[in-house]
């Protein structure tokens, strides 16, 4: 028994030493990245080096954030993904939100061409109408992902720089703002760069407040969609029928979000829509496949569907937003 205990103790110590050694081996690289970030912020954006260094020294690496980004909801199959968002509870809350902010939504739709149901759907999917805006320190999230998440460290360091700029411009306490594990914040879950470039003061009080002001959030979501190419009055997607899976169909489906085909291409492969739908041969489209429990559901996405993916780069997300928006519209009629 004592021998076994010694073996187990030795194994535990070896594992700890290995872990420490691994952390130490990456520490110089992280330190170099931090110093490079400080230099960039001082030279390019005129921050005080001591301020940036002290702020980053107070930021904490959060393993929960790393675990969360490794298992995003968008990695689920469609039949597991959509029930998260398409619920009666969210629909009831969405109708209440629409009725409460009817004037703001109508003005946003008139000024941008983005339908009220899309705006309401986005805010409902993102934060359940301000109920859940995130529990993580935005500073910690961006520090963690910017310096300890190699797959997208460059992007998140860029967002960290944007966060410093945002808090300076808007007068936020950068240590206090809470958001998602990816550093998105407020009613519409804008990342820092989106907040800086697309947020609007929709109620005219002189402040672009997406953290606590649903009116500004409504105007900002609408502005985001308009600036990303939303086409007023045009459809989003249509359900499609396809022949039994074959090489032609398989070649039309890709992970890329870019639109590389026309309706003529899809029709030549045997894709069809309902009799009520008519598309021109050169209409830019994308064939989308969504995994149900026992079959695959096909849709034809139009340019407005692509615009929704500018908010979150996932066809599953875009389809959930679209279908929820249709439920909202029907409930308000």
């Amino acid at each position: 028994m004592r021998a076994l205990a010694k073996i187990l103790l030795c194994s535990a110590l070896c594992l700890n030493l290995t872990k420490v050694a691994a952390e130490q081996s990456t520490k110089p690289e992280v330190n170099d990245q931090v110093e490079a970030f400080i230099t960039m912020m001082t030279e390019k954006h005129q921050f005080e080096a001591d301020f940036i260094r002290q702020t980053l020294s107070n930021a904490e690496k959060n393993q929960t954030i790393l675990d969360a980004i490794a298992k995003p909801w968008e990695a689920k199959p469609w039949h597991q993904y959509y029930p998260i968002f398409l619920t009666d509870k969210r629909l009831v809350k969405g109708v209440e939100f629409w009725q409460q902010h009817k004037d703001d939504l109508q003005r946003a739709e008139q000024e941008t061409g983005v339908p009220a149901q899309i705006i309401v759907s986005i805010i409902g999917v993102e934060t359940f109408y301000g109920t859940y805006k995130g529990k993580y320190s935005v500073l910690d999230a961006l520090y963690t992902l910017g310096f300890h998440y190699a797959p997208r460290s460059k992007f998140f360091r860029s967002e960290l720089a944007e966060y410093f700029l945002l808090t300076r411009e808007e007068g936020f306490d950068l240590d206090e703002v809470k958001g998602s594990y990816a550093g998105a914040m407020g009613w519409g879950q804008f990342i820092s760069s989106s907040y800086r470039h697309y947020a609007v003061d929709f109620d005219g009080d002189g402040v672009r407040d997406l953290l606590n002001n649903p009116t500004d959030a409504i105007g900002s979501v609408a502005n985001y969609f308009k600036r990303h190419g939303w086409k007023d009055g045009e459809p989003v997607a249509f359900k499609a029928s396809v022949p039994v899976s074959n090489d032609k169909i398989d070649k039309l489906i890709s992970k890329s979000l870019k639109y590389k085909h026309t309706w003529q291409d899809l029709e030549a492969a045997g894709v069809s829509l309902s009799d009520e739908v008519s598309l021109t041969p050169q209409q830019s489209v994308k064939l989308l496949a969504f995994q149900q429990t026992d079959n695959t559901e096909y849709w034809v996405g139009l340019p407005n569907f692509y615009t929704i993916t500018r908010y979150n780069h996932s066809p599953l997300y875009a389809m959930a937003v679209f279908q929820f928006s249709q439920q909202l519209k029907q409930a308000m009629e």
Side-chain angles (χ1 to χ4, degrees):
M1 290 295 291
R2 289 182 180 179
L4 178 59
K6 287 182 179 180
I7 292 172
L8 292 174
L9 179 60
C10 180
S11 298
L13 289 172
C14 289
L15 286 172
N16 286 334
L17 288 172
T18 300
K19 182 179 179 182
V20 170
E23 290 175 350
Q24 288 176 342
S25 68
T26 59
K27 190 174 181 180
E29 180 182 350
V30 171
N31 288 341
D32 290 344
Q33 291 171 347
V34 168
E35 289 302 317
F37 181 85
I38 294 170
T39 299
M40 182 274 292
M41 294 300 290
T42 56
E43 294 181 353
K44 185 176 181 179
H45 300 298
Q46 291 74 55
F47 280 89
E48 293 292 334
D50 288 344
F51 170 72
I52 300 293
R53 182 173 286 106
Q54 183 61 47
T55 300
L56 294 181
S57 69
N58 291 336
E60 296 182 357
K61 175 184 174 183
N62 188 325
Q63 185 59 45
T64 304
I65 289 171
L66 295 172
D67 294 340
I69 201 167
K71 297 179 180 179
W73 285 350
E74 286 73 20
K76 297 177 182 292
W78 172 246
H79 64 87
Q80 293 179 5
Y81 181 84
Y82 79 82
I84 300 171
F85 303 105
L86 303 182
T87 65
D88 291 340
K89 185 177 180 181
R90 198 181 304 269
L91 182 59
V92 169
K93 190 74 172 177
V95 170
E96 291 177 358
F97 180 86
W98 194 329
Q99 291 171 336
Q100 183 179 358
H101 299 282
K102 190 172 184 178
D103 292 342
D104 292 332
L105 288 160
Q106 184 176 20
R107 180 161 65 92
E109 184 169 340
Q110 290 173 344
E111 293 180 5
T112 65
V114 181
Q117 65 265 23
I118 290 291
I119 302 169
V120 177
S121 180
I122 286 285
I123 295 174
V125 167
E126 290 291 344
T127 63
F128 202 82
Y129 306 102
T131 301
Y132 185 76
K133 293 180 283 187
K135 63 181 181 180
Y136 301 98
S137 158
V138 172
L139 176 61
D140 287 352
L142 296 177
Y143 168 79
T144 297
L145 298 172
F147 296 106
H148 300 281
Y149 183 61
R152 298 192 67 195
S153 59
K154 184 177 180 181
F155 169 78
F156 284 108
R157 282 200 297 273
S158 174
E159 285 302 314
L160 180 60
E162 294 280 348
Y163 183 61
F164 273 100
L165 292 166
L166 173 68
T167 54
R168 182 170 69 179
E169 293 163 356
E170 304 294 336
F172 299 155
D173 185 337
L174 55 76
D175 294 315
E176 296 298 323
V177 181
K178 303 291 186 184
S180 73
Y181 67 77
M185 64 197 93
W187 282 71
Q189 292 292 276
F190 276 35
I191 57 176
S192 298
S193 58
S194 294
Y195 200 128
R196 293 188 67 223
H197 293 102
Y198 305 113
V200 296
D201 172 22
F202 204 55
D203 65 358
D205 66 353
V207 181
R208 301 189 305 168
D209 181 10
L210 305 190
L211 304 180
N212 303 297
N213 188 332
T215 298
D216 283 358
I218 287 168
S220 298
V221 169
N223 184 54
Y224 186 98
F225 272 76
K226 179 182 179 182
R227 296 277 297 276
H228 283 81
W230 183 270
K231 298 182 182 299
D232 185 10
E234 294 194 9
V236 174
F238 293 112
K239 198 168 184 179
S241 298
V242 303
V244 177
S245 183
N246 56 51
D247 290 343
K248 288 184 178 180
I249 295 298
D250 293 342
K251 289 178 180 178
L252 290 171
I253 297 173
S254 68
K255 292 183 178 180
S256 172
L257 295 174
K258 294 183 179 179
Y259 282 32
K260 302 177 181 179
H261 301 111
T262 64
W263 172 237
Q264 182 175 287
D265 297 330
L266 270 59
E267 200 169 25
V271 180
S272 62
L273 304 174
S274 68
D275 294 337
E276 294 81 22
V277 179
S278 177
L279 299 177
T280 61
Q282 296 307 313
Q283 170 68 60
S284 179
V285 295
K286 181 173 178 60
L287 185 62
L288 303 158
F290 297 93
Q291 183 183 343
Q292 294 286 18
T293 305
D294 53 5
N295 66 348
T296 300
E297 189 173 290
Y298 293 92
W299 288 73
V300 172
L302 298 170
N304 278 344
F305 186 90
Y306 177 77
T307 298
I308 301 176
T309 66
R310 300 305 83 204
Y311 209 96
N312 179 313
H313 296 178
S314 165
L316 275 72
Y317 174 89
M319 182 54 69
V321 166
F322 169 58
Q323 291 192 9
F324 184 44
S325 75
Q326 295 300 97
Q327 291 180 356
L328 287 162
K329 182 181 179 181
Q330 185 176 4
M332 288 294 291
E333 289 177 348

